[in-house]
Amino acid sequence: MPEHSSLPPCLLAFPGPLRDRLVAAVLSGEKVSTTGLLAEYEAEKEELPPVGEQSVVIDSDGREVAVIELTEVRVLALGDVDLQHALDEGEGHTSVADWRAGHERFWHSEEMREALGDPEFTVDDTTVVVAERFRVVERLDGAGPV
């Protein structure tokens, strides 16, 4: 198996059931987009990833399961996220309102507020998010080619 340790990790949510569902959606091809908070990048002092960057999707057990490549990175207000992006997240949302409610639960969670270092953190229409689109370029879970 090729060595992927030089690639940055793609950590969807926190380890546990949500990450497991998101990773499964990536592997099935249902999930081709994701959304993070610009505040996360700022808290971790990270630059936004460039289009073309590859990363390794990590499951809840710390295993490398796929290599993905960014095909689009958009910085926009939460209130401007469109239906196609919400659908492409592969989480079964059928409207932007449903997608947003699920994301707000996550972003307002104690775990996320702790990660951001802000116990009162909340989002609104003006909160800046990073909407990423990607494609799987290699599966590492033994299930064969993409």
Side-chain angles (χ1 to χ4, degrees), residues 24-102:
V26 168
L27 294 175
S28 73
E30 294 172 54
K31 183 172 184 62
V32 294
S33 69
T34 193
T35 310
L37 299 168
L38 183 61
E40 289 178 81
Y41 288 93
E42 292 169 345
E44 296 174 9
K45 297 179 178 27
E46 288 184 13
E47 297 288 323
L48 293 180
V51 169
E53 180 176 273
Q54 292 187 348
S55 59
V56 179
V57 178
I58 308 294
D59 70 11
S60 289
D61 295 323
R63 291 184 301 244
E64 298 178 344
V65 297
V67 175
I68 61 171
E69 180 179 85
L70 287 177
T71 59
E72 181 180 43
V73 178
R74 295 183 297 151
V75 177
L76 66 159
L78 179 57
D80 293 334
V81 172
D82 58 80
L83 179 59
Q84 191 61 58
H85 182 79
L87 295 173
D88 289 346
E89 286 225 9
E91 296 178 52
H93 301 297
T94 57
S95 69
V96 173
D98 182 40
W99 169 88
R100 182 161 165 174

Side-chain angles (χ1 to χ4, degrees), residues 1 4 6 11 20 22 29 51 55 58 65 85-86 96 101-103 107 109 111 114 122 124-125 130 134 139-140 143:
M1 181 182 300
H4 299 95
S6 63
L11 304 170
D20 295 339
L22 297 177
V51 169
S55 59
I58 308 294
V65 297
H85 182 79
V96 173
H103 281 69
W107 290 329
S109 69
E111 226 173 353
E114 184 177 320
T122 59
D124 61 27
D125 279 350
V130 181
F134 58 85
R139 287 187 65 149
L140 307 174

Side-chain angles (χ1 to χ4, degrees), residues 102-117:
H103 281 69
E104 284 190 22
R105 278 191 299 278
F106 177 74
W107 290 329
H108 294 161
S109 69
E110 187 175 316
E111 226 173 353
M112 178 55 82
R113 287 174 170 164
E114 184 177 320
L116 293 172

